[in-house]
Structures are given as structure tokens and as C-alpha cells.
Amino acid sequence: MTEPIGRKKEAVDSLRAIPLFSRVVDADLEDIASHLIERRFPKNTTVVEEGLPGDYMYVIRQGRVKVAKASEDGREKIMQFMEAGDFFGEMALLSNDPRSASVKTLEPTVLLALSRRDFIEQLRQSPDLALAVIGELTDRLRETNEQASSMSFQGVKDRTRGLFERIARNDPAREGHRVTPSMTHQQIADMIGTSRETVTRAIKQLKDDGWLGQEGKRYVIPDQP
């Protein structure tokens, strides 16, 4: 199902939260928001497939998805979980390269979609928009290089803690704490590039330190580092 989005403020707020658009002025964001369309997907639907070309980026309005890649032996390697307010596929707005990962819904999900064609047309019409996007991409490249350098020197315990800090979200029922999505030790291992056994030891160490709590397959961390 596809339909235009009429609630302009909500759409603009969704775009404003995306780093790619963080420097864009309101007038340009309103123009971009006018091109957003709403798409609804049932549970266990592949929205984006690794290796196929893509020409849309998506903002999650409702629901939850997983981002995964196929490993060399054909198994699924989960890279990330996303929920309302998150976004994916933004590089499709600037390149027609194949998708680098697949995205599949974990529950009924509502997405806001923006096509490359509409985005490029806005870039042509607004030099300020183009400069804002270039500035954000430059910062992102610098941050990615710094993260890659840091990861090469971190142990599994620090990488596990860093993952939890990145993906945990505020929970109104747990003041002063944040909670991760449900994850198995194998999924955590896949996301930080190590073995399940090593992750199990790292999680035990974080619990022993008093920093990490657990509820089922979800993990609870302090709101402050």
C-alpha cells in the first residue's frame, strides 16, 4: 500500500532526525517531505534485498526491522536492529550501487519512503541543500574512519559494551536506564565480529562489573556511560 503523506510537520520532524538532513534548512526539508510516501509491510517482509539495486531510502514510522548480510557460508549475519525513528537506505539517494545489506520486518511496519529521483531534483533546485548534504557526508566519512581505527584496538568486552550503548533505547518504565532489543549471544557475536563463546564471557564480565543487567534476551544499561 502506498499513499501520500499529508501531515507535513510530522514528515519534516522525521527527516530532521536523520543525520544526512541535519544541516538542511526548514524550507528545503518541507520540499523534500512533500515527496514522502507511506508504505505498509506485514511481518517477515523483505523491504530491501542485499545485492539488488535500490532507489529509495526509508524512515521507520512504526514497527521494527533487522538489517542483515549473507555470510560466506550462506548464513544470515544480523548487523543491526531498527525501530520507529530510525532510517535506512539513505545512500540510495546518491548512488545506484547494489544494496549492501537486506532489511526485513520483524513486525507489521509503516515506512516513509523517499525516491532518488525526487531527492536529486531537490538537489538541483537548491545549492544550499547540496552543500548541507556534502558537509554531512564528509563528517560521516571522518567518523567512520575514526570508528574503524578504534575498533581495531578494542577488546571484545569493550566492543560488546559499545554495541549495547549504540542500540539501547530509553524505556519509560526504567528511569535512568536504557534497554536493548531482544538478541541472542550469536547475534551479538555476528554484530561485533567474534564468536558466541567469547561474547558470553564478555557479557558475564560486564554483569560482574555491575554495568549490565538482563531481562530475558534484552539487556539493561545505565542511561549515562
Side-chain angles (χ1 to χ4, degrees):
M1 178 179 177
T2 299
E3 60 184 11
I5 297 298
R7 286 169 284 190
K8 182 176 291 187
K9 184 180 185 304
E10 181 181 349
V12 169
D13 289 344
S14 296
L15 291 172
R16 175 66 67 195
I18 298 174
L20 184 63
F21 300 129
S22 63
R23 308 182 189 199
V24 177
V25 299
D26 286 345
D28 285 331
L29 276 184
E30 289 178 2
D31 288 338
I32 295 172
S34 68
H35 295 288
L36 288 175
I37 55 176
E38 184 179 278
R39 291 182 171 175
R40 296 175 178 266
F41 297 88
K43 181 180 179 179
N44 294 327
T45 301
T46 299
V47 180
V48 166
E49 187 167 350
E50 181 181 1
L52 296 184
D55 55 1
Y56 280 87
M57 73 149 284
Y58 299 92
V59 181
I60 303 173
R61 186 174 175 189
Q62 297 174 18
R64 187 166 170 255
V65 305
K66 65 178 178 181
V67 182
K69 292 177 66 69
S71 62
E72 292 182 358
D73 60 4
R75 293 186 304 162
E76 179 184 76
K77 179 178 180 180
I78 296 177
M79 310 300 292
Q80 191 174 3
F81 294 99
M82 294 183 170
E83 56 189 36
D86 291 330
F87 59 94
F88 58 91
E90 69 274 20
M91 287 299 99
L93 298 182
L94 299 168
S95 170
N96 59 0
D97 290 341
R99 298 285 195 181
S100 60
S102 297
V103 179
K104 188 174 184 178
T105 59
L106 297 172
E107 58 189 60
T109 299
V110 181
L111 303 176
L112 304 180
L114 176 65
S115 73
R116 181 193 309 122
R117 181 187 63 185
D118 290 334
F119 180 65
I120 294 300
E121 182 60 29
Q122 292 300 314
L123 286 178
R124 290 194 178 109
Q125 295 179 15
S126 174
D128 288 340
L129 172 61
L131 288 173
V133 169
I134 290 171
E136 178 56 35
L137 291 175
T138 301
D139 285 351
R140 180 179 297 190
L141 178 59
R142 184 181 299 112
E143 181 180 345
T144 299
N145 289 337
E146 291 174 352
Q147 287 179 350
S149 177
S150 176
M151 281 284 287
S152 65
F153 295 104
Q154 285 185 332
V156 173
K157 177 182 174 183
D158 288 337
R159 300 211 307 268
T160 303
R161 175 170 174 155
L163 171 66
F164 290 155
E165 289 176 336
R166 289 196 305 274
I167 67 176
R169 298 299 181 91
N170 290 328
D171 186 333
R174 299 174 180 82
E175 186 176 354
H177 292 81
R178 293 184 292 147
V179 182
T180 73
S182 297
M183 295 183 294
T184 65
H185 285 194
Q186 185 60 60
Q187 290 170 339
I188 295 168
D190 289 342
M191 295 170 77
I192 64 173
T194 188
S195 69
R196 179 180 58 81
E197 294 78 9
T198 306
V199 162
T200 298
R201 290 194 296 271
I203 287 175
K204 183 179 184 304
Q205 291 171 352
L206 291 170
K207 289 179 178 178
D208 290 343
D209 291 344
W211 182 80
L212 183 67
Q214 185 171 355
E215 297 179 357
K217 292 184 179 179
R218 302 204 301 170
Y219 296 89
V220 182
I221 68 171
D223 194 28
Q224 299 296 327

